[in-house]
Amino acid sequence: MQQITRSPKGRSTRILLSSVFGPYAQDDAYGSRAVNPMELYHNQVTRVQGGFSLRMFHRSFGLMMIQANIDAPCTLLDFPSQDRFIEEIQENEYDVIGIGAIIPNVGKVKRMCELIRRHRPSARIVVGGHIASKGDLLQTIDADDIVRGDGIRWFRRFLGEDENAAVRHPAVLSGFGARVMGVDLGKKPGDTAAILIPSVGCPVGCNFCSTSALFGGKGNFINFFETGDELFAVMSRIEEELKTHSFFVLDENFLLHKKRALRLLELMEAHQKSWSLYVFSSARVLESYTLDQLVGLGIGWVWMGLEGKDSAYQKLRRVDTHALVERLHSNGIRVLGSSIIGLDDHSPANIDAVIDHAVSHDTVFHQFMLYMPNPGTPLYESHRREGTLLSEDEFPVADAHGQYRFSYRHKNIRDGEEEHFLLKAFRRDFEINGPSLARLIGVTLKGWRRHQYHAERRVRDRFAREALPLRSTYAGAVWAMRKWYRGNERLAEKMDVLLKEIYDEFGWKTRMVAPLVGRYVFGSLKKEEARLAGGWTYEPVCTCEKNAAAMALESRKPSSVKVTVKKVTWVSGSPVPAMAKSA
């Protein structure tokens, strides 16, 4: 832990935490790029799928975790415009202003530091997140502290609070603004998974992994909840708070902590919890569990690194990834495969084979990323020693996001060919396997067929809940997709087969409903495609939230001051009351 000068105001320190300002999905002078929008799936997974692309925004969960775990008055400003950020720091007294960012956002962080020095010159500026791995950061931005790694512990120590106190977990949904085929998705309680962050870092420590490097590298990680009992208590309270049965587990390799996971399974069985868990996991770790254990845990979706054919990563050694994906899909576990373009042995001569290998897995979703040496990683150090890194004059840091060009000289791929190969991979996957939504629907149907009569009622309940849209909205979406692809014989036939399987499973009511829903979805899809063709982009809405101490300060302001804030609550492994009240 780095040396920290404690705040003289202790728990009375007034804190603002902020993400970088928008807009995001456009090229600008501060480092935003149209090719790198603030949408994880559309950015890196369903990038070329047009109106079929899954569009969704995710909150700044790291900042939310910090706010939930300090007692000082703390305001969180997420996705502000530049003007909204200026307004916040002009109109409110802050002793500390913290900014969370990734490395491509250096230009925006630099600008925010300049604005703070101008409008709130006495404030201490703290910068953290993945941007902290950039070694020369303080030569670029005017900040007082760079926090690398555990921001919760840093702020607790800075404020004189107990840095070893139990972690409180924010009760928050994993995403917002979701839409696909031009249709806005669930806004009702329970429609969206809650976020769950059991650990940070990954002990596997792949040489390119920024997250592993940020939290100590290979062999290191931080558990916020050590035991299955602690995790179960947190999940139970989030379920009660948000009325949700599903959790997006933001943990680099959740199932690696097997003792914790199997204890969680025991408690889920004992308390009849039919939760759905969406997890990240390496292939070898997945194979260490039985399918009964995975199904019992509610694993309904897994983000798994496939990396590339013949890649040397230990996590893939002696794993038949095609067979593994097929086993998971046949049990209703939807796979998001992740493949790398530009490994050391990739070249124009073999790249088609590399892409075909990835596409042949027919995963529900497929992420393609360039092999990028991000600062702090072993891969970066290797390129630094070899002298192959490009200078920032040659390659702006704002473009170093893995969806454009290499930030180094690749020995086989030159002159920007990597961008062509990356797009080729996305397009090949879309052209061969069709829309990810159709694949998701197909795997959901497989899971229902396999487990609708499962011995455990809680498991049956989960599959029934996940299969419910098949009877209406999913059937209508497939109907619309079949109509959309009427000029593409192969994909039209694929949609026709899937629709017939849904009809066979759910009968005449679904046959009646599907065309009605389908016509609406088809019309929405046409409008969405037209909007996107005209250059339409999506931006996240700004959110301002205050914790209990900040709300108390707010209540003492003159009544003429109008403030719009949201309630923020959190839960922990032991009974803890909601820590804030509505405005």
Side-chain angles (χ1 to χ4, degrees):
M1 175 67 72
Q2 65 195 82
Q3 289 294 319
I4 299 172
T5 302
R6 289 190 175 181
S7 170
K9 294 185 178 181
R11 297 186 184 190
S12 297
T13 305
R14 295 161 298 185
I15 299 169
L16 172 66
L17 301 176
S18 180
S19 60
V20 297
F21 61 84
Y24 309 97
Q26 65 181 49
D27 296 334
D28 70 12
Y30 301 111
S32 281
R33 295 291 186 263
V35 74
N36 188 35
M38 190 66 76
E39 299 175 83
L40 174 62
Y41 292 100
H42 183 64
N43 183 334
Q44 301 177 10
V45 182
T46 55
R47 177 175 169 181
V48 302
Q49 295 191 24
F52 293 108
S53 182
L54 178 59
R55 315 298 295 258
M56 183 186 300
F57 299 105
H58 302 279
R59 293 291 307 278
S60 298
F61 299 121
L63 298 181
M64 299 186 82
M65 287 290 286
I66 293 170
Q67 185 192 43
N69 284 280
I70 56 178
D71 297 324
C74 182
T75 298
L76 172 57
L77 191 63
D78 217 358
F79 307 123
S81 65
Q82 185 174 181
D83 288 343
R84 178 65 182 86
F85 179 72
I86 293 171
E87 176 189 7
E88 185 66 31
I89 61 176
Q90 280 182 327
E91 296 185 1
N92 298 279
E93 292 283 342
Y94 289 112
D95 303 302
V96 174
I97 300 176
I99 305 168
I102 59 175
I103 291 176
N105 293 144
V106 165
K108 292 198 169 186
V109 174
K110 181 177 185 292
R111 174 61 174 166
M112 292 172 80
C113 291
E114 292 168 352
L115 292 170
I116 295 166
R117 295 302 188 209
R118 181 188 309 168
H119 299 290
R120 191 60 59 189
S122 62
R124 183 168 177 169
I125 302 176
V126 180
V127 173
H130 284 283
I131 194 173
S133 294
K134 192 176 190 304
D136 60 350
L137 186 58
L138 284 177
Q139 298 172 28
T140 305
I141 66 171
D142 182 11
D144 298 295
D145 298 282
I146 305 298
V147 180
R148 186 177 184 192
D150 187 353
I152 294 174
R153 186 176 290 269
W154 190 95
F155 267 95
R156 283 176 167 175
R157 180 175 289 190
F158 170 70
L159 296 168
E161 298 178 8
D162 181 3
E163 62 188 89
N164 297 310
V167 169
R168 299 184 292 241
H169 197 293
V172 62
L173 297 177
S174 60
F176 65 95
R179 64 188 290 116
V180 66
M181 296 180 73
V183 178
D184 290 330
L185 303 183
K187 297 178 181 177
K188 297 181 298 185
D191 281 349
T192 304
I195 199 68
L196 181 69
I197 309 177
S199 313
V200 288
C202 180
V204 174
C206 294
N207 67 334
F208 58 83
C209 182
S210 298
T211 304
S212 176
L214 186 65
F215 292 98
K218 189 177 183 67
N220 295 290
F221 59 94
I222 298 169
N223 272 343
F224 293 136
F225 307 103
E226 292 284 349
T227 68
D229 295 81
E230 290 176 310
L231 204 54
F232 181 81
V234 168
M235 294 169 72
S236 296
R237 288 176 174 79
I238 291 176
E239 176 188 38
E240 182 178 356
E241 170 80 17
L242 299 179
K243 311 303 180 189
T244 186
H245 300 286
S246 55
F247 299 85
F248 189 104
V249 186
L250 193 58
D251 184 311
E252 289 290 312
N253 213 332
F254 172 68
L255 295 172
L256 186 63
H257 307 282
K258 194 166 186 177
K259 182 179 179 181
R260 182 178 65 186
L262 293 182
R263 176 55 180 161
L264 177 62
L265 173 57
E266 290 177 1
L267 292 167
M268 288 173 64
E269 291 172 338
H271 294 269
Q272 289 297 296
K273 294 294 187 183
S274 62
W275 291 333
S276 299
L277 274 64
Y278 312 142
V279 306
F280 296 78
S281 180
S282 56
R284 289 189 69 188
V285 168
L286 278 168
E287 288 210 319
S288 72
Y289 288 77
T290 67
L291 276 169
D292 284 344
Q293 289 171 332
L294 295 175
V295 170
L297 270 167
I299 307 299
W301 183 98
V302 60
W303 193 312
M304 179 175 69
L306 300 173
E307 314 314 359
K309 187 178 181 181
D310 301 323
S311 63
Y313 294 106
Q314 186 68 27
K315 64 183 182 181
L316 291 163
R317 192 157 295 168
R318 293 187 296 277
V319 176
D320 183 340
T321 52
H322 286 93
L324 177 57
V325 169
E326 177 56 32
R327 284 198 302 275
L328 296 172
H329 280 181
S330 67
N331 282 273
I333 301 174
R334 291 144 287 191
V335 177
L336 192 160
S338 180
S339 294
I340 296 172
I341 299 297
L343 290 172
D344 290 343
D345 64 330
H346 290 178
S347 69
N350 65 23
I351 199 67
D352 282 340
V354 168
I355 293 171
D356 288 342
H357 172 77
V359 171
S360 67
H361 287 83
D362 193 14
T363 54
V364 168
F365 295 97
H366 211 122
Q367 177 193 43
F368 293 97
M369 291 287 286
L370 294 178
Y371 196 42
M372 292 289 281
N374 291 314
T377 64
L379 183 61
Y380 182 90
E381 287 304 308
S382 175
H383 279 283
R384 186 187 61 79
R385 289 193 301 269
E386 294 170 6
T388 52
L389 293 171
L390 298 176
S391 70
E392 291 186 17
D393 289 335
E394 297 173 281
F395 188 83
V397 68
D399 292 319
H401 48 70
Q403 287 292 316
Y404 175 49
R405 297 280 180 86
F406 292 136
S407 58
Y408 62 100
R409 288 182 289 276
H410 193 284
K411 63 181 180 181
N412 299 319
I413 301 173
R414 301 291 176 86
D415 303 321
E417 290 177 304
E418 63 271 24
E419 183 184 15
H420 167 71
F421 296 148
L422 184 68
L423 289 171
K424 188 174 188 179
F426 278 116
R427 289 171 180 146
R428 184 83 58 83
D429 179 60
F430 186 36
E431 291 165 0
I432 298 298
N433 297 320
S436 287
L437 179 60
R439 300 179 232 173
L440 181 149
I441 292 169
V443 173
T444 301
L445 180 61
K446 289 179 181 179
W448 165 252
R449 285 176 162 175
R450 175 65 64 92
H451 294 294
Q452 61 179 305
Y453 302 115
H454 194 278
E456 288 190 68
R457 179 176 177 176
R458 66 183 191 88
V459 175
R460 295 197 304 272
D461 288 347
R462 175 170 71 86
F463 280 97
R465 186 173 66 245
E466 293 179 352
L468 186 61
L470 290 168
R471 301 173 183 271
S472 55
T473 53
Y474 281 176
V478 178
W479 188 96
M481 284 186 265
R482 183 181 64 174
K483 183 176 176 66
W484 183 266
Y485 283 112
R486 58 189 181 274
N488 183 324
E489 183 177 348
R490 188 180 58 80
L491 285 180
E493 181 180 2
K494 186 173 184 176
M495 301 306 146
D496 192 53
V497 169
L498 177 56
L499 188 58
K500 287 178 179 177
E501 289 178 345
I502 294 173
Y503 287 166
D504 289 345
E505 188 66 31
F506 298 107
W508 67 270
K509 289 185 179 180
T510 298
R511 288 178 180 270
M512 295 286 288
V513 170
L516 299 176
V517 174
R519 289 187 182 93
Y520 170 77
V521 174
F522 183 78
S524 296
L525 176 60
K526 287 179 66 177
K527 293 177 183 177
E528 183 79 346
E529 288 279 349
R531 279 192 293 266
L532 296 175
W536 181 266
T537 60
Y538 289 97
E539 296 284 345
V541 297
C542 177
T543 302
C544 182
E545 295 168 332
K546 295 180 181 289
N547 66 3
M551 292 292 289
L553 284 179
E554 202 68 57
S555 68
R556 295 197 287 272
K557 279 188 173 183
S559 58
S560 60
V561 178
K562 183 179 179 182
V563 179
T564 302
V565 296
K566 290 180 64 178
K567 175 183 178 182
V568 54
T569 61
W570 47 78
V571 295
S572 71
S574 57
V576 174
M579 298 297 287
K581 299 178 181 179
S582 59

